[in-house]
Amino acid sequence: MTGPGERVTVPVPILLYHSVSDTPSSFISPYAVTPATFARHLDVIAESGAATLTVSDLRSALASGTALPQRPVLVTFDDGYLDTLTTAAPLLAERAMAMTAYVISGAVGGVSPGGDPMMSWSQIGELAGSGAEIGGHSHTHPELDTVPAHRVRDEVAVCKDRLEQQTGQQVRSFAYPHGYSSPRTRRVVEQAGYSSACSVKNALSSPLDPPYAISRLMVMATTSDETIRGWVAGNGAPVGQDEERLLTRGWRAWRRIGVRWGRTPHWAHAC
Ligand SMILES: [Zn+2]
């Protein structure tokens, strides 16, 4: 285990997956990996000697001062694709690895805009019952930093309520749709009772990450095994970012203009 003095510098790779499928729709295919690829990634994690944790286990350990495993790696899924349960979860279970699945509550039992099947409520219950952490990913997947405050509150609270009612478990972690958040969004998520929230940032996380702006690394269809190997070893990406990059802020302003033009933010944008 790592001593308290060293703990703050440990980079924590938090991998973000969407679909794990040989037959993803064109909507999600840039963000999908095949089952064979996913299994190879898990083997890279196992071979590195890393220990997997859920996001809430990581945050609880940090909050309580419990020592982290020497090499923590987190595996997360966004949106709630059916293959998270049917394909990814068994491959993780074979290796006794933990996962956190962030679910769009309003998409449960339906299909993605590309037609990919999403988990039903009973399937989400099955996943939760297997030990996976279920987190919130909003109700309809809008870009939360560009919609009115009352809608942000609804998206965040309705998602938490529905998931908790259906799973009977407390939903403690949130992931911002598309990875986008703002100081206001982060406050709303905290006020709704979540104890952590993940963004994307394409950076390694660290114990210094703000609890409502946890960095993740998005795994794309084009992400190479060597990239995964580097991330798992704590290399190949910046470590955390306390402040948003100017680029991110500029991109948000551009998207606000898009909204004024009448472009409705909806979950038709992947990730
Ligand atoms: Zn998403």
Side-chain angles (χ1 to χ4, degrees):
M1 303 298 270
T2 305
E6 300 165 73
R7 215 186 304 149
V8 292
T9 60
V10 175
V12 182
I14 305 181
L15 304 177
L16 162 55
Y17 292 90
H18 288 86
S19 173
V20 179
S21 172
D22 281 316
T23 54
S25 73
S26 58
F27 167 75
I28 199 63
S29 61
Y31 307 93
V33 298
T34 68
T37 298
F38 184 65
R40 282 202 315 278
H41 294 177
L42 298 186
D43 288 339
V44 166
I45 295 171
E47 286 160 14
S48 77
T52 57
L53 298 171
T54 66
V55 173
S56 288
D57 284 346
L58 172 70
R59 294 311 311 180
S60 296
L62 293 172
S64 65
T66 308
L68 291 172
Q70 198 163 9
R71 301 173 61 80
V73 174
L74 279 62
V75 181
T76 70
F77 296 84
D78 277 10
D79 298 345
Y81 292 94
L82 176 56
D83 56 59
T84 300
L85 172 71
T86 57
T87 307
L91 292 168
L92 285 154
E94 281 171 16
R95 295 162 178 82
M97 289 182 173
M99 66 177 280
T100 301
Y102 292 101
V103 173
I104 307 167
S105 52
V108 173
V111 294
S112 79
D116 310 275
M118 311 304 287
M119 284 184 282
S120 67
W121 283 119
S122 67
Q123 288 163 333
I124 289 166
E126 189 183 331
L127 189 62
S130 74
E133 175 177 22
I134 305 296
H137 192 43
S138 82
H139 191 58
T140 67
H141 209 260
E143 297 172 351
L144 290 176
D145 57 331
T146 65
V147 300
H150 67 89
R151 189 162 165 224
V152 177
R153 284 193 291 273
D154 285 351
E155 285 283 344
V156 166
V158 168
C159 177
K160 191 173 196 294
D161 288 349
R162 300 251 173 114
L163 289 171
E164 289 185 344
Q165 281 167 17
Q166 296 287 338
T167 63
Q169 296 182 4
Q170 196 186 359
V171 172
R172 295 186 286 164
S173 192
F174 187 81
Y176 305 106
H178 316 279
Y180 301 137
S181 71
S182 64
R184 182 192 70 184
T185 313
R186 296 194 279 272
R187 271 196 308 277
V188 170
V189 168
E190 182 172 7
Q191 286 162 0
Y194 293 94
S195 54
S196 70
C198 289
S199 50
V200 180
K201 291 186 182 173
N202 290 312
L204 293 153
S205 184
S206 94
L208 297 177
D209 258 357
Y212 294 92
I214 299 171
S215 302
R216 291 189 294 173
L217 298 152
M218 197 191 301
V219 182
M220 309 280 293
T222 52
T223 303
S224 71
D225 286 8
E226 283 318 300
T227 298
I228 295 289
R229 202 175 298 280
W231 288 347
V232 167
N235 302 316
V239 178
Q241 285 164 33
D242 289 338
E243 299 299 327
E244 288 182 275
R245 282 171 292 188
L246 282 171
L247 181 63
T248 309
R249 286 202 290 273
W251 171 231
R252 185 189 307 143
W254 184 89
R255 286 181 293 119
R256 282 211 181 94
I257 292 168
V259 170
R260 276 205 294 278
W261 286 343
R263 181 168 70 87
T264 308
H266 54 73
W267 112 270
H269 298 268
C271 72

